[in-house]
Amino acid sequence: MKDGVLYGMLDEIREAIEANTGPDGNVCFDGLRIQVALDFVRTELFKSVMAEHSHGTRPGEDG
């Protein structure tokens, strides 16, 4: 997978958060739910990176 796809998704998420955040900093969505989802993504990313390193391959390469 090309990293451009992932960065594009990150940009969309950032834009959606910014568009739905009031001037007082309050968000117009379930912030806790989104925080849990993003924490899951971060954890899976780190687990994937660690697994790739332990197999001696670079992320995205077949080992």
Side-chain angles (χ1 to χ4, degrees):
M1 171 180 279
K2 297 285 185 184
D3 63 1
V5 172
L6 299 177
Y7 285 121
M9 292 174 72
L10 287 171
D11 289 341
E12 289 177 22
I13 292 167
R14 180 181 300 277
E15 289 170 8
I17 292 170
E18 289 173 354
N20 291 287
T21 301
D24 59 357
N26 288 320
V27 295
C28 304
F29 51 84
D30 185 344
L32 181 58
R33 184 174 179 181
I34 301 305
Q35 183 179 354
V36 169
L38 291 173
D39 186 55
F40 174 77
V41 170
R42 178 177 53 194
T43 299
E44 290 301 308
L45 172 65
F46 290 151
K47 285 173 30 181
S48 177
V49 168
M50 293 304 293
E52 293 287 335
H53 285 294
S54 69
H55 290 108
T57 59
R58 292 177 44 208
E61 291 182 347
D62 293 328

